[in-house]
Amino acid sequence: MSDKKVKQNCDSMSTGLLSVDEAKKRILETVAPVSGQEKLSIRAALNRVLADDVLSTINVPPYDNSAMDGYAVSSEDLPDNNERQLQVVGESFAGSPYGGQLCSGQAVRIMTGAMIPAGADTVIMQEQVRREDDNIFIGPGHKKNANVRYIGEDMRIGQTILTRGKLITPAELGILASLGIPEVKVMRKLRVAFFSTGDELRSVGEPLDEGQIYDSNRYTLYGMLQRLHVDIVDMGVIADRRDDVREAFKTAADIADAVITSGGVSVGEADYVKETLEQLGKVTFWRVAMKPGKPMAIGSIDKAAFFGVPGNPVSAMAVFYQFVQPALKKMMGMQTSFTTILKVPCMTALKKAPGRLEYQRGILDYDENGELVVKTTGVQGSHILTSMSQANCFIILPAENDGVIAGDVVEVQPFTDLV
Ligand code: AMP
Ligand code: MG
């Protein structure tokens, strides 16, 4: 054998770690959009995912109209040098058009949004004319077709305006209303069940005994899932008992499209969590080259997708945002969305050892010169949940990075993009 090392899949090597990019790619490959659609009135469809393309059956705007308050004229009447006098023969208001046909030497008083009368092709702003009784005087320098908004300029008959997989936000609601569409077909809501595992966990409202902590992951998970507008089933805390764990996994897989658990995925966890998962479904335990959040479990139990996020509170959130959320969005039928990554100078030094990609918590702000800069939130332990609240972005340090000195440019991912 040569001294070349035998290549193996990272995740099959006991010491190897899967890269973040590879893990992201694989997790997306394990899930597919759910089937099932429903018809909703457009307001009820806010925050839902379009199941069909939306085609325009009308032109928007439906007619040429004025972009200004002023006078509709024919460009033939625009003077080249001297002032020109035109007779005002009528009015066109929004919702009440001028019925006649404009002849040479005539103008129509027109308001924003009102129909351009037949025979006119140009609107002169009212500030640019002198009016005397029923006449206006316009000077040179006006352009043909000025201040006219054209039929179908925004949406044309027969045009595909929205494509399936589009998330319905306020802009889409307005578009649907502009097209006169009262109802749309959307993907059915994804149903997500989740629970925490750990004998040390208590729920809010219960007293804490020695060695116990409050379960916070069910609350961060609840919050992150709510913002995705999925149906949520909170199954509480499941104790580290074989039968309880088995029952919980079975129930969750029965009622939900996706099951998320926190805790119980690190080395040294009670073996039966893994054992149970292996018996009930196809689950792979991954060690991903990232910090926080190295261990995670991915797979399926019956028809449900399964995501096991780490127990440490910051790891649970980071793994959810980076891996689980994109997978849930794919299951919801959502088109892949744009992720903002900014390159900005980091004003504080950051400690990092090469080997794993790190999602450090940062605060993005403007410095005294108005330039965007980032600084650390401070201590970066995966148990420091307050860092997630102080932060407004992840500072993404690539695996090979071996620390940052103040002034270095780093990549950041704003939290505003994570919803
Ligand atoms: P585990 O992944 O179960 O080994 O947990 C790793 C660390 O996270 C331990 O310190 C746990 O006590 C803590 N932890 C696990 N689950 C939760 C939870 N739901 N809420 C808060 N901390 C947790
Ligand atoms: Mg545990």
Side-chain angles (χ1 to χ4, degrees):
M1 216 174 109
S2 77
D3 57 6
K4 261 194 207 158
K5 284 199 181 120
V6 177
K7 264 202 173 168
Q8 293 182 23
N9 275 344
C10 286
D11 55 341
S12 69
M13 280 162 51
S14 56
T15 54
L17 298 175
L18 198 59
S19 78
V20 167
D21 280 351
E22 183 63 22
K24 282 185 176 174
K25 203 180 109 217
R26 287 199 202 173
I27 198 168
L28 284 177
E29 283 166 9
T30 63
V31 296
V34 291
S35 51
Q37 307 171 345
E38 59 181 320
K39 217 171 201 186
L40 292 179
S41 69
I42 55 175
R43 277 196 179 136
L46 181 65
N47 298 315
R48 301 291 294 275
V49 177
L50 264 182
D52 286 334
D53 290 354
V54 172
L55 270 71
S56 176
T57 54
I58 60 169
N59 284 309
V60 180
Y63 43 82
D64 294 350
N65 67 89
S66 177
M68 292 288 171
D69 293 343
Y71 294 88
V73 301
S74 161
S75 53
E76 311 268 302
D77 283 341
L78 293 174
D80 284 332
N81 23 60
N82 297 327
E83 214 179 44
R84 172 113 198 222
Q85 179 179 352
L86 299 175
Q87 189 197 0
V88 179
V89 293
E91 297 169 334
S92 180
F93 289 156
S96 131
Y98 175 71
Q101 161 91 29
L102 217 65
C103 302
S104 178
Q106 295 183 335
V108 161
R109 174 86 176 117
I110 195 164
M111 297 301 169
T112 305
M115 256 176 105
I116 303 291
D121 60 6
T122 302
V123 172
I124 312 294
M125 283 167 71
Q126 63 190 26
E127 294 84 347
Q128 296 172 346
V129 306
R130 188 159 54 82
R131 178 149 184 176
E132 277 176 23
D133 302 326
D134 278 347
N135 294 300
I136 54 167
F137 297 85
I138 51 179
H142 296 287
K143 287 206 180 74
K144 182 179 175 176
N145 299 336
N147 303 316
V148 175
R149 307 192 291 209
Y150 289 103
I151 177 170
E153 208 178 4
D154 191 9
M155 301 175 236
R156 269 191 330 279
I157 278 191
Q159 193 187 354
T160 303
I161 306 296
L162 302 171
T163 50
R164 60 175 295 177
K166 181 92 181 162
L167 180 68
I168 301 176
T169 71
E172 284 71 36
L173 284 191
I175 286 173
L176 292 165
S178 303
L179 292 170
I181 295 173
E183 288 183 324
V184 278
K185 234 194 235 169
V186 296
M187 302 288 290
R188 77 164 168 82
K189 265 195 175 183
L190 198 69
R191 183 169 255 245
V192 182
F194 62 99
F195 57 88
S196 298
T197 65
D199 276 344
E200 76 280 30
L201 302 176
R202 290 293 170 274
S203 293
V204 291
E206 294 173 357
L208 282 189
D209 276 344
E210 208 169 56
Q212 299 180 334
I213 58 167
Y214 284 117
D215 173 6
S216 60
N217 292 346
R218 262 168 56 234
Y219 290 83
T220 50
L221 280 172
Y222 168 85
M224 294 184 291
L225 288 167
Q226 273 289 1
R227 298 213 290 195
L228 290 177
H229 304 281
V230 297
D231 276 337
I232 294 171
V233 186
D234 180 348
M235 294 177 58
V237 175
I238 307 298
D240 290 328
R241 273 195 300 272
R242 179 178 268 111
D243 292 346
D244 291 6
V245 170
R246 191 184 169 83
E247 271 321 295
F249 277 123
K250 276 171 69 176
T251 308
D254 235 31
I255 56 177
D257 302 301
V259 178
I260 302 175
T261 65
S262 79
V265 290
S266 35
V267 181
E269 285 290 332
D271 262 342
Y272 51 78
V273 174
K274 289 184 186 177
E275 186 189 293
T276 309
L277 282 170
E278 274 151 11
Q279 283 168 6
L280 291 177
K282 281 188 290 196
V283 177
T284 316
F285 288 82
W286 286 356
R287 295 177 70 232
V288 179
M290 72 179 272
K291 197 178 167 184
K294 183 164 59 182
M296 61 185 91
I298 306 294
S300 58
I301 304 169
D302 289 333
K303 281 195 243 63
F306 172 76
F307 308 100
V309 304
N312 273 308
V314 180
S315 311
M317 291 192 81
V319 168
F320 181 90
Y321 280 137
Q322 301 299 333
F323 297 91
V324 182
Q325 181 158 290
L328 295 178
K329 285 182 173 178
K330 183 174 175 189
M331 293 179 77
M332 291 162 75
M334 217 188 278
Q335 292 167 1
T336 45
S337 49
F338 174 81
T339 320
T340 310
I341 302 286
L342 306 171
K343 286 192 165 92
V344 298
C346 184
M347 302 322 282
T348 46
L350 305 175
K351 273 199 220 144
K352 179 177 179 306
R356 294 200 259 160
L357 182 148
E358 291 195 12
Y359 292 101
Q360 297 203 4
R361 275 73 69 210
I363 302 167
L364 200 55
D365 201 357
Y366 294 98
D367 68 8
E368 59 280 4
N369 303 319
E371 302 292 337
L372 212 47
V373 293
V374 71
K375 65 178 186 197
T376 181
T377 57
V379 187
Q380 292 291 311
S382 57
H383 59 299
I384 309 290
L385 190 52
T386 46
S387 71
M388 282 300 291
S389 168
Q390 287 156 6
N392 59 12
C393 66
F394 282 122
I395 303 173
I396 306 176
L397 301 176
E400 64 279 5
N401 179 288
D402 61 354
V404 167
I405 52 173
D408 279 358
V409 170
V410 293
E411 291 198 337
V412 306
Q413 180 181 30
F415 283 174
T416 46
D417 229 38
L418 290 171
V419 285

